[in-house]
Each structure stands twice: as structure tokens, then as C-alpha cells.
Amino acid sequence: MNIVVCVKQTPDTAATVTVEGGEVSWGDAPLVLNPWDEYAVEEALQIKEEHGGQVTALSLGPEDAQEALKQSLAMGCDQAILISDPAFAGLDTLQVSKVLAAAIEKVGDPDLVLFGRSSVDSDTGITGTQVARRLGFPSLILVSKVVSLDPAGGKIEVERMLEEGRQQVAGPLPAVLSVVKEINEPRYPSFMGIRKASKAEIPIWSGADLGISDDLSAAVHWPEIIAPPKIETEVEMIEGDTAEEKAKKLAQRLAEEKVI
Ligand SMILES: Cc1cc2nc3c(=O)[nH]c(=O)nc-3n(C[C@H](O)[C@H](O)[C@H](O)COP(=O)(O)OP(=O)(O)OC[C@H]3O[C@@H](n4cnc5c(N)ncnc54)[C@H](O)[C@@H]3O)c2cc1C
């Protein structure tokens, strides 16, 4: 199996996000492998362990996105490739999918391309399907279980987790999958894996390397980003000797505030 897993570097979910002068900042909070993508890496590794083959982690981002790739390598991916080019800054999902699809084609003949369900920062959840459309592969999103995989027969059957319930779907390989956290429990990188990853030289592919020469400006622009208004809250304690008295006073205050 030739498996490609697309991973994004995102701010830690514990980061305090601020908006200043229309720019988003998460201060000096650490950047991490997008938490949802850990499940995609884990699933890729489990499929490789069962069926053989190799797993390539792929990320589009600035040069420091190598850290997310190093975590993927430390978990057990065989190789990692960073796609980085100043021309790729500020792209929208449509263009990101174009770049990722070109890189997947350059990796060559994938059987499976895995994605997380969404990134915790931009959170559109559509990149995987857009890549599938560009590659002409079926898109099986929100996968909570790989029910069966038959590389020789070129077939995959998965369970998808939807709001209304679970859905079983089958499709041909190669396919694109996006996975939800119910699919597995991501492994911790091993000590050996961390050592191997720290020494790894990660190749960096530019637009020219991918044969992308057209102007990749975003169709969807973010002209302004505004922080949600601060909500001021006041706490008022209702006192009383009995529960009935407190309830009566509470109802009175709520009526005064026109809540009831
Ligand atoms: C500085 C900056 C400026 C931006 N400006 C714009 C703008 O002007 N207009 C606009 O529409 N958007 C803009 N974006 C958002 C950007 O287009 C999205 O981050 C990108 O398209 C991916 O979409 P998403 O993060 O919603 O991923 P999702 O679709 O939520 O992610 C799903 C999965 O796709 C994979 N994935 C996503 N991104 C990558 C990646 N880079 N590399 C590898 N795998 C990936 C991961 O597996 C992830 O779990 C900007 C982002 C940044 C950081």
C-alpha cells in the first residue's frame, strides 16, 4: 500500500488567540501537529502494519511546519515532505487542494490518501474532498472505522460517523479518507522514533518542483478578522433563609430584568 497522509501544523488548542490590527495571533504558544491529523497518521500506520507498504506525510506550510512532519516521522511514517513557497502564503482551500493534489501526484501512485476531519484553526473540513475531486478519487469523509480493505481487489469499505447515525460505504481504490477521532487511539512517538525524526532531512518542494507556475491567488479573501466582542458578566448572589424565599427572590429579580 502506498499511503499519503496530509498533515497541517496548527496552534495548540490551549493557545489564547487574539486579534490585533486585523491579524490573528496566538502569541508564543507552541505549534503542533493538528490534533485531528494524529488520528490520520495512526490509521495510516495501522493500515501499513497490516498490509505492508509505506506512509508519506505531506504538509503545506511555512518552513517551521517541519515540526509537525517530524512528529509524524516520530510516530512511524517512512518519509515526510514539506511543500513551502512564499507564493503559497495566504491561499484559500481551493488553491491549497491544488497544491496538495500536485504533491500527491509527485509522490506517485497512492492507494490511499488520508486527512484529519478538519484543522483546528481554519476548520473548513473541505480540503480532503477538494483534493479527492482534483485527483479523481472517491472521497470517503468522517470515517470512524475501516471495515475492510482489499488492496489486491482494489476495494475499501468504511463506516462513516454522521449526526444521524453510522453509514457503511464501499468504494474503489485509490481513495481519499478523512477520519474522526473515534477511529483509533494515536500512539505516542517512541524514543527511537523521536531520535530518528530529529535527524531526518525533510525535503522541501516549491511551486516550481510541482510544476505549478500559474498565479495561485486566493478566490476567497479574508480582508478583515474581528475578535468576538467581550461579554461582560455580573454575578449576583440571591440570599434567603429558605429555598422558597430564595426562589421567590430569584423569580422577582428575573421578572425585573424581563427574563421571565
Ligand atoms: C496566514 C493564513 C492566511 C490565510 N488566508 C486565507 C484567505 O485569504 N482566504 C481563505 O479562504 N483562507 C485563508 N487561509 C486558510 C487556508 O486557506 C486554510 O488553512 C487551508 O485552506 C486549509 O483549510 P483548513 O485549514 O480549513 O483545513 P480543513 O479542510 O479543515 O482540514 C482538513 C484536513 O486537511 C489537511 N490539511 C489542511 N491544510 C493542510 C495543509 N496546509 N497541509 C497539509 N494538509 C492539510 C489536514 O489533514 C486536515 O485535517 C489562510 C490561512 C493562513 C494560515
Side-chain angles (χ1 to χ4, degrees):
M1 295 285 291
N2 188 11
I3 307 165
V4 177
V5 56
C6 291
V7 298
K8 186 180 183 189
Q9 179 159 276
T10 59
D12 194 322
T13 45
T16 307
V17 179
T18 56
V19 179
E20 276 166 39
E23 294 290 326
V24 180
S25 165
W26 37 86
D28 49 14
L31 294 170
V32 297
L33 172 61
N34 176 37
W36 298 113
D37 298 349
E38 289 183 24
Y39 297 88
V41 171
E42 176 62 37
E43 199 56 27
L45 295 174
Q46 288 189 17
I47 292 171
K48 176 197 152 175
E49 282 157 8
E50 193 178 337
H51 298 277
Q54 73 157 5
V55 179
T56 303
L58 206 57
S59 189
L60 164 61
E63 286 209 11
D64 66 4
Q66 289 192 33
E67 290 310 310
L69 289 169
K70 287 203 170 175
Q71 190 179 337
S72 311
L73 286 173
M75 285 175 76
C77 290
D78 300 283
Q79 61 166 343
I81 297 158
L82 177 67
I83 312 145
S84 198
D85 192 312
F88 295 161
L91 298 185
D92 59 10
T93 52
L94 209 55
Q95 303 290 26
V96 166
S97 69
K98 180 174 184 171
V99 177
L100 288 177
I104 292 162
E105 276 172 343
K106 187 171 160 75
V107 171
D109 296 326
D111 300 294
L112 272 179
V113 185
L114 296 184
F115 289 81
R117 65 164 297 161
S118 64
S119 72
V120 295
D121 53 359
S122 307
D123 200 17
T124 62
I126 56 173
T127 308
T129 295
Q130 287 176 329
V131 169
R133 182 75 184 84
R134 288 187 183 277
L135 294 171
F137 296 175
S139 169
L140 309 174
I141 62 165
L142 305 177
V143 171
S144 53
K145 186 176 176 184
V146 175
V147 178
S148 67
L149 179 59
D150 174 8
K155 283 185 278 184
I156 185 166
E157 190 170 342
V158 299
E159 190 174 85
R160 299 179 59 224
M161 207 165 101
L162 310 176
E163 271 179 29
E164 306 79 24
R166 307 232 171 183
Q167 183 189 56
Q168 214 137 311
V169 290
L173 296 175
V176 165
L177 264 58
S178 85
V179 305
V180 294
K181 68 179 172 50
E182 286 72 14
I183 196 164
N184 58 43
E185 191 58 50
R187 68 194 66 189
Y188 287 106
S190 66
F191 181 64
M192 287 296 287
I194 294 169
R195 278 192 58 178
K196 195 177 135 207
S198 68
K199 289 185 197 148
E201 285 283 324
I202 296 179
I204 301 179
W205 289 353
S206 65
D209 293 325
L210 298 175
I212 296 176
S213 52
D214 20 328
D215 174 19
L216 282 191
S217 52
V220 177
H221 293 280
W222 295 355
E224 195 178 1
I225 299 166
I226 304 162
K230 280 210 175 93
I231 300 171
E232 304 288 345
T233 51
E234 267 177 41
V235 177
E236 184 179 329
M237 298 303 292
I238 305 287
E239 307 289 349
D241 293 333
T242 61
E244 285 78 14
E245 188 186 343
K246 286 180 199 168
K248 203 171 163 191
K249 282 186 181 171
L250 177 62
Q252 208 174 344
R253 282 292 293 121
L254 291 174
E256 280 169 23
E257 294 293 333
K258 300 192 171 49
V259 177
I260 55 174

